[in-house]
């Protein structure tokens, strides 16, 4: 199969996934549900030996995967509601435990109480571990759960149990850091195309450029999912902070001499498994990558990101007063010269709606530069009621000990970049000697480390 065919197959798979997700769900017949209920009871009771367990779990997984969205939702609802702990057994065990407290029977009574509270849902879920691809099956099953939860709150107990189980199975101590190169298995390269969530991989040449000698790509893998990256980061080796993602991703740009590189730019970090939401690997991934890069390139002194602000325009549209308060009298003079006559101007309204026509007017773009930088700085440092930024990317990096280093004007001039953040991007700096103190200050006090320049921009 040619490289072009492989790339096309990856895109076709993504289109198929979207089509399946949007298909109208149907409930399975009562006969099918009864058969599945019987399979679930067999799993919950744990009949037979290891071979029987494997066969039973494999049949159940095959049945589940053959259902459409409505069928899967019905099965998960059944597991959640019909296979929880037995309330009568819990009450009896709790009464026995209370009576045994302080006696030599206390610890046996505690063990019996714990056994009574152990949900049969867990017994069912754990059995999938015994089959090939069983861990991946459970990760995908939780992705289904998370999609259904908004309309099916009764699924929450099942989700909590499965999340706890996956958190233990995906402890960072079990994960393997692997560098992905152009010579990695084709199926793995295809996964990069499919999972890239920040800057779409547009072609096979684009992917090859991101894996060139002046680039690095690292991913965490679980031993039971060897060709499924859990999270991956793309890195560019440069001689200075990057301030424009189009230049960074330019396939025709000359390859950098890595012997002169002193800066590593993390320009894309993508979580790949929707079913592992709430289980964080990012902090450990970046620390391990920094260690690996320092070993291979001792001259590297600066580790930073070039990151999007994905919620900026949406937030500004909900809070138009923020743009108004960022505009000084000098700004209004420049805007008037560019044809914006006041706060009710349709051109400012279009700006808050994410419409991008303004960037084609050089005078208007120049007049908006400083006000929009001020809005962005305020958005990063002061916008959430819990003293944390509302921006999800900012929360991720600040929660990992980074510093807000610099805002970059017109750093992403793509349609997506203009619509979500007026083309602005931010550098988060990972200074090895400040990461731990920043992390602790942010976690305990919500204190954000930011450069003096960004703090000045955020002042009103």
């Amino acid at each position: 199969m040619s490289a072009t065919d492989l790339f096309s197959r990856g895109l076709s798979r993504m289109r198929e996934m979207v089509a399946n997700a949007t298909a109208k769900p149907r409930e399975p017949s009562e006969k099918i549900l009864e058969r599945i209920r019987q399979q679930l009871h067999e799993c919950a009771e744990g009949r037979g030996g290891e071979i029987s367990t494997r066969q039973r779990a494999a049949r159940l997984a095959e049945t589940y995967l053959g259902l459409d969205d409505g069928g899967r939702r019905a099965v998960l609802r059944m597991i959640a509601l019909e296979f929880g702990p037995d309330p009568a057994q819990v009450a009896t065990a709790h009464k026995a435990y209370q009576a045994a407290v302080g006696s030599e029977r206390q610890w046996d009574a505690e063990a019996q109480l714990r056994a009574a509270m152990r949900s049969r849902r867990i017994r069912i879920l754990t059995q999938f571990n015994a089959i090939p691809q069983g861990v991946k099956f459970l990760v995908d099953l939780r992705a289904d759960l998370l999609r259904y939860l908004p309309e099916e709150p009764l699924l929450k107990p099942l989700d909590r149990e499965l999340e706890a189980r996956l958190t233990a199975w995906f402890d960072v101590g079990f994960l393997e850091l692997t560098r992905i190169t152009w010579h990695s298995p084709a199926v793995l390269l295809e996964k990069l195309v499919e999972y890239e969530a920040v800057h779409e991989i547009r072609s096979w040449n684009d992917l090859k450029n991101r894996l060139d000698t002046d680039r690095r790509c690292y991913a965490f893998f679980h031993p039971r999912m060897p060709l499924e990256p859990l999270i991956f980061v793309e890195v560019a080796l440069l001689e200075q902070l990057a301030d424009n993602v189009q230049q960074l991703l330019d396939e025709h740009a000359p390859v950098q001499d890595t012997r002169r590189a002193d800066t590593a730019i993390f320009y894309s970090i993508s979580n790949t498994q929707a079913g592992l939401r709430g289980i964080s690997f990012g902090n450990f991934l970046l620390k391990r990558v920094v260690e690996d890069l320092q070993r291979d390139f001792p001259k590297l002194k600066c580790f930073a990101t070039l990151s999007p602000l994905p919620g900026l325009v949406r937030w500004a549209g909900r809070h138009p007063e923020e743009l108004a308060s960022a505009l000084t009298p000098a700004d209004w003079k420049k805007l008037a010269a560019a044809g914006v006559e006041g706060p009710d101007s349709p051109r400012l309204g279009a700006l808050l709606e994410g419409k991008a026509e303004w960037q084609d007017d050089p005078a208007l773009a120049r007049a908006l530069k400083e006000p929009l930088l001020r809005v962005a700085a305020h958005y990063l440092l002061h916008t959430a009621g819990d003293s944390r930024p509302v921006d999800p990317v900012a929360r991720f990096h600040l929660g990992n000990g980074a510093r807000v280093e610099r805002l970059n004007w017109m750093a992403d001039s793509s349609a997506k970049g203009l619509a979500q953040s007026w083309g602005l991007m931010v550098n988060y700096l990972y200074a090895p000697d400040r990461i731990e103190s920043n992390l602790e200050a942010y976690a305990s006090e919500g204190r954000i480390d930011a450069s003096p320049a960004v703090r000045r921009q955020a002042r009103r």
Side-chain angles (χ1 to χ4, degrees):
M1 180 178 293
S2 72
T4 301
D5 290 341
L6 188 59
F7 188 83
S8 299
R9 190 178 72 179
L11 296 179
S12 297
R13 176 184 295 180
M14 284 186 277
R15 285 192 289 268
E16 181 181 347
M17 290 169 62
V18 171
N20 290 339
T22 55
K24 186 176 181 180
R26 294 179 301 165
E27 290 270 349
S29 68
E30 280 301 320
K31 183 177 180 180
I32 293 175
L33 284 177
E34 189 54 42
R35 188 181 81 238
I36 293 171
R37 182 177 285 108
Q38 181 61 37
Q39 288 179 303
L40 290 170
H41 277 290
E42 292 174 359
C43 283
E45 293 165 12
R47 302 173 189 169
E50 182 178 340
I51 294 178
S52 297
T53 298
R54 285 174 179 264
Q55 292 175 339
R56 195 165 45 233
R59 284 197 303 272
L60 185 54
E62 183 179 5
T63 300
Y64 180 86
L65 292 173
L67 298 171
D68 67 5
D69 234 32
R72 293 184 182 190
R73 184 184 298 208
V75 170
L76 293 175
R77 192 187 307 125
M78 185 188 299
I79 297 173
L81 299 180
E82 299 180 25
F83 292 88
D86 185 328
Q89 290 183 10
V90 173
T92 299
H94 182 259
K95 184 177 180 181
Y97 173 74
Q98 292 284 57
V101 170
S103 72
E104 62 182 17
R105 294 182 294 107
Q106 175 178 345
W107 312 119
D108 288 337
E110 179 186 319
Q112 291 167 3
L113 175 60
R114 190 178 295 112
M117 293 181 66
R118 189 169 189 265
S119 166
R120 291 186 298 163
R121 295 182 290 248
I122 291 295
R123 296 177 198 165
I124 293 170
L125 297 174
T126 302
Q127 291 193 26
F128 291 109
N129 254 337
I131 64 175
Q133 301 297 317
V135 173
K136 173 61 174 168
F137 171 78
L138 287 172
V139 171
D140 291 343
L141 184 144
R142 184 165 182 254
D144 288 342
L145 258 178
L146 292 171
R147 286 192 295 111
Y148 305 146
L149 267 179
E151 297 177 0
E152 298 273 2
L154 292 176
L155 294 177
K156 286 182 180 178
L158 177 58
D159 178 57
R160 282 193 291 264
E161 289 177 332
L162 183 52
E163 181 182 4
R165 188 59 46 138
L166 291 173
T167 298
W169 291 339
F170 285 84
D171 182 272
V172 68
F174 299 142
L175 305 184
E176 300 169 355
L177 180 71
T178 301
R179 181 184 167 198
I180 301 174
T181 72
W182 183 244
H183 303 291
S184 296
V187 66
L188 182 53
L189 299 182
E190 184 182 8
K191 292 291 175 62
L192 292 188
V193 175
E194 178 182 336
Y195 290 137
E196 168 59 57
V198 184
H199 303 294
E200 178 188 5
I201 299 175
R202 301 175 301 277
S203 67
W204 202 252
N205 285 336
D206 185 5
L207 176 62
K208 187 174 183 180
N209 180 57
R210 300 188 194 202
L211 300 174
D212 214 329
T213 56
D214 59 345
R215 305 298 171 95
R216 292 291 183 273
C217 180
Y218 295 90
F220 264 151
F221 291 86
H222 190 279
R224 295 288 300 278
M225 295 168 56
L227 290 176
E228 282 283 346
L230 308 179
I231 182 174
F232 64 90
V233 58
E234 297 170 63
V235 188
L237 303 175
L238 306 172
E239 295 181 54
Q240 59 186 355
L241 277 179
D243 62 2
N244 186 290
V245 74
Q246 271 75 39
Q247 294 176 7
L248 200 64
L249 296 177
D250 184 1
E251 299 170 24
H252 305 292
V255 176
Q256 299 288 314
D257 183 354
T258 56
R259 294 171 300 179
R260 300 172 57 183
D262 60 9
T263 302
I265 295 292
F266 308 117
Y267 62 91
S268 180
I269 301 174
S270 297
N271 286 291
T272 68
Q273 308 296 319
L276 295 178
R277 192 174 79 194
I279 304 171
S280 178
F281 314 112
N283 184 25
F284 302 101
L285 174 70
L286 293 181
K287 285 182 178 178
R288 294 280 303 277
V289 168
V290 167
E291 291 171 1
D292 194 83
L293 290 171
Q294 286 179 316
R295 184 182 63 249
D296 290 349
F297 304 98
K299 291 179 65 175
L300 290 178
K301 304 300 179 188
C302 179
F303 300 90
T305 76
L306 182 61
S307 299
L309 294 85
L312 175 59
V313 170
R314 186 170 59 250
W315 170 83
R318 293 196 302 266
H319 302 278
E321 71 280 1
E322 296 294 341
L323 177 57
S325 64
L327 290 164
T328 67
D331 295 326
W332 279 116
K333 287 183 180 180
K334 294 178 185 177
L335 288 169
V340 176
E341 297 179 355
D344 296 328
S345 168
R347 302 185 80 180
L348 288 185
L351 180 76
L352 293 173
E353 292 172 5
K355 297 176 181 176
E357 294 84 354
W358 60 273
Q359 93 280 359
D360 295 324
D361 183 334
L364 181 57
R366 285 194 299 270
L368 287 170
K369 178 178 178 180
E370 294 306 323
L372 295 186
L373 286 169
R374 292 185 206 112
V375 172
H378 183 77
Y379 168 75
L380 287 174
L381 302 187
H382 301 297
T383 52
D386 61 355
S387 76
R388 303 295 198 273
V390 70
D391 187 80
V393 177
R395 284 177 177 255
F396 172 81
H397 288 296
L398 296 172
N400 288 334
R403 158 193 177 104
V404 185
E405 185 65 15
R406 189 176 72 185
L407 283 162
N408 300 293
W409 176 250
M410 279 295 134
D412 183 0
S413 58
S414 68
K416 177 182 176 181
L418 291 166
Q420 72 179 8
S421 63
W422 300 312
L424 294 171
M425 298 189 78
V426 57
N427 297 122
Y428 295 101
L429 179 67
Y430 282 87
D433 58 342
R434 298 178 63 151
I435 288 177
E436 291 303 323
S437 60
N438 284 350
L439 193 156
E440 291 177 10
Y442 180 77
S444 61
E445 307 168 32
R447 182 149 46 89
I448 295 172
D449 189 13
S451 68
V454 173
R455 292 203 179 278
R456 283 194 299 271
Q457 289 170 323
R459 290 188 195 131
R460 297 291 175 84

